[in-house]
Amino acid sequence: MKKQTNIYETVTTQFERATDVMKLDPNIKRILGTTNNELTVHFPVKMDDCSVEMFTGYRVQHNDALGPYKGGLRYHQSVNIDEVRALATWMTWKSAIMNIPFGGAKGGIQFDPDKYSISELERITRRFTFALGDNIGPEYDIPAPDVNTNSQIMAWIMDTYLSTMSPHDRNKCVHVVTGKPIESGGSLGRDKATGQGVVFNIIQWARDNEINLNGISYIVQGFGNVGSWVARLLNELGAKLLAVEDASGAVQNNGGIDPSSLNDYVQIHRGVQGYSEAEAIDHQTFFGTKADVFIPAALENQITAGTAPLLNVRLIAEAANGPTDPEGDKIIQKNGIELIPDILCNAGGVIVSYFEWLQNKRSEFWELDEIDQKLLRKIENGYDRVSNASKNYNVDYRTAAYIVALTRLEKVYKERGIFP
Ligand code: NAD
C-alpha cells in the first residue's frame, strides 16, 4: 500500500505554488513558511484501575500577526507534530481569508479516545490543560473543538484553566476556549457553525453557476459534527443524500438517506454501519457514487491518486482539513471537478468561534438569527475575495485562497516591519 502523504508536505506544496504565482516577498515567505512555537508535552494520568499511563500532547502556534493564536484540539491516534503543524498553518490562512483578527494554532493528544472511560477522558483533558499552562490563554491562544473533541471537553479545559487563576480573574477569562456548552458561555450556532459555513459556501457556488440546490444529490464522508450538520442543512434546501462513509463503514441509498434519522442512529451506534434504511457498500463504491457534490468531512489524505479517479461528481466542498493530497488535486483538476478548498469551505467554525469570543469579552449573548446573518456575510465576502483572486490570477480556488491570505499577511508585515 502507498504510504500516506505527510500533510505538512501538502501545506508546503500548496504554499510554494501560491507564493510563486503571486510573487510573495521572499522575506515574508521565510516568516510564513515556518511555525512560531511548537510545544510537545508528556504527562501522566491515573486510569480507572489506578495504573498510570503517559500521554503525548502538542500545541503548535504558527503565526499571530493578525491576532491571538486560534485553533482546535484533536484527540486521535494519528496525531503527530507534522499533522499539528499543518493544521496550525491552515488556521492562519483561514482567519486571514475571512478577515478575522486571529492567528493560527492547533493541538492535540495522540491517543484513541474510544478506548477510555468518560472519567479517564476528563482527567486526560484536565492534565493536558495543566501541562499547556500559560501557553494557552484568552488573549493569547484559544483552543476549540476538532476531531473527537466537543463542547464537554471545552468545558473541562475552561474549568481547569480558570481553577489555576486567582478568583478575581476567573470570570474575565471564560474566552480561553470556544465551542463551549451554551450554559457555560458558549455561543448559539457554534455546534453547527462549520457545517453551516460549508453550506453557505455551496450556496455561493450554486449562485455563481446558476444551479438550483433543490434536487441536487450529494455524498458525505465523515458523519461527525461537521458531516452530519452539512447533511442536515443541505437536506433542508431540498438536496438528496445518496451515500455516507465514516470510520465504521459506508452506506448508500439512491432513493435518498434521511440525515436526521441517520444522525439519531449514529448517536446510538457510534457509526453508520448497520443503518437499515441503506445498503452497506465498500470504500471504492462509495467514492464512485455518481452525485453532484462530494463533501469530505472526515480526515486528511482521502482524495488521492487512488481515489480521485473514481470520483463522479461536479463539485468537491472540502469540509475536512486537508482531505485532498497534491496528487489527488492534480487528478480532480484534470477531470474538471470544481473544488471549494478547506481554508475557505470550513472556516465557519472559526468565524463563529470569533463571535463566541467577542460575546464572552463583552458579556453579551447574541440570538441565532443574528449569528447566522453575520456568518453568511463573512462567508459571502470571503468567497467573493477568493473568486476574484481566481479570476485575476487565473488560478484554481485553492491557490486563489492562499493568495488572498498571503496578500493580507504580507501587507501587515510590511506595515509593521520586523522587530527590532
Ligand atoms: P468528528 O470527530 O465529529 O467526526 C469525524 C468523522 O470522521 C466521524 O464520523 C468518523 O467516523 C469519521 N472518520 C474518521 N476516520 C475515518 C476514515 N478513515 N474514513 C471515513 N471516515 C472517517 O470531527 P469533526 O469535528 O466533524 O471534524 C471533521 C473534519 O472537519 C476534520 O478534518 C476537522 O479538522 C474539520 N473541521 C472541524 C471543525 C469543527 O468545528 N469541528 C472546524 C473546521 C474543520
Side-chain angles (χ1 to χ4, degrees), residues 74 76 87 91 94 106 145-149 190-191 193-194 221-227 245-249 266 270-271 283 296-300 302 319-322 346-347 349-350:
R74 179 175 289 196
H76 196 273
L87 293 163
M91 287 307 297
K94 244 179 254 189
K106 204 82 179 193
D146 191 71
V147 173
N148 290 330
T149 57
R190 176 60 186 88
D191 198 30
T194 306
Q221 188 198 40
F223 210 73
N225 171 290
V226 180
E245 180 182 62
D246 71 3
S248 73
V266 168
R270 305 179 71 127
H283 186 60
L299 297 177
E300 47 270 9
Q302 299 301 308
N321 285 305
N346 70 31
V350 72

Side-chain angles (χ1 to χ4, degrees), residues 343-414:
I343 51 176
L344 168 65
C345 196
N346 70 31
V350 72
I351 294 172
V352 179
S353 275
Y354 169 54
F355 296 160
E356 178 176 332
W357 187 75
L358 280 181
Q359 290 171 76
N360 291 160
K361 273 164 80 91
R362 300 172 182 172
S363 299
E364 287 180 0
F365 192 74
W366 303 353
E367 296 304 330
L368 185 58
D369 56 350
E370 186 182 348
I371 288 165
D372 281 346
Q373 269 308 316
K374 287 190 157 114
L375 173 63
L376 176 61
R377 282 291 291 281
K378 284 263 177 220
I379 300 271
E380 277 173 348
N381 292 339
Y383 190 97
D384 286 345
R385 278 192 282 275
V386 172
S387 173
N388 290 336
S390 162
K391 288 186 198 107
N392 293 342
Y393 286 90
N394 193 22
V395 289
D396 58 285
Y397 269 42
R398 190 187 311 285
T399 308
Y402 266 73
I403 291 174
V404 171
L406 296 174
T407 303
R408 182 177 302 278
L409 284 152
E410 181 179 44
K411 195 154 191 292
V412 169
Y413 271 104
K414 290 209 161 150

Side-chain angles (χ1 to χ4, degrees), residues 130-206:
F130 185 74
L132 290 175
D134 277 348
N135 293 290
I136 59 169
E139 304 293 333
Y140 178 63
D141 182 356
I142 306 124
D146 191 71
V147 173
N148 290 330
T149 57
N150 55 23
S151 58
Q152 173 61 76
I153 288 178
M154 296 306 118
W156 288 330
I157 295 175
M158 177 184 75
D159 185 71
T160 309
Y161 184 84
L162 298 185
S163 300
T164 63
M165 312 198 68
S166 126
H168 292 276
D169 290 330
R170 285 182 192 156
N171 283 323
K172 286 195 289 202
C173 293
V174 291
H175 52 306
V176 62
V177 281
T178 56
K180 299 180 288 288
I182 306 294
E183 303 75 13
S184 297
S187 173
L188 292 175
R190 176 60 186 88
D191 198 30
K192 67 163 183 160
T194 306
Q196 183 71 74
V198 172
V199 172
F200 284 156
N201 268 286
I202 295 173
I203 291 173
Q204 302 313 304
W205 169 81

Side-chain angles (χ1 to χ4, degrees), residues 220-223 243-251 272 281-284 286-287 298 302:
V220 179
Q221 188 198 40
F223 210 73
V244 180
E245 180 182 62
D246 71 3
S248 73
V251 293
V272 301
I281 52 170
D282 63 22
H283 186 60
Q284 306 273 324
F286 170 77
F287 265 83
Q302 299 301 308

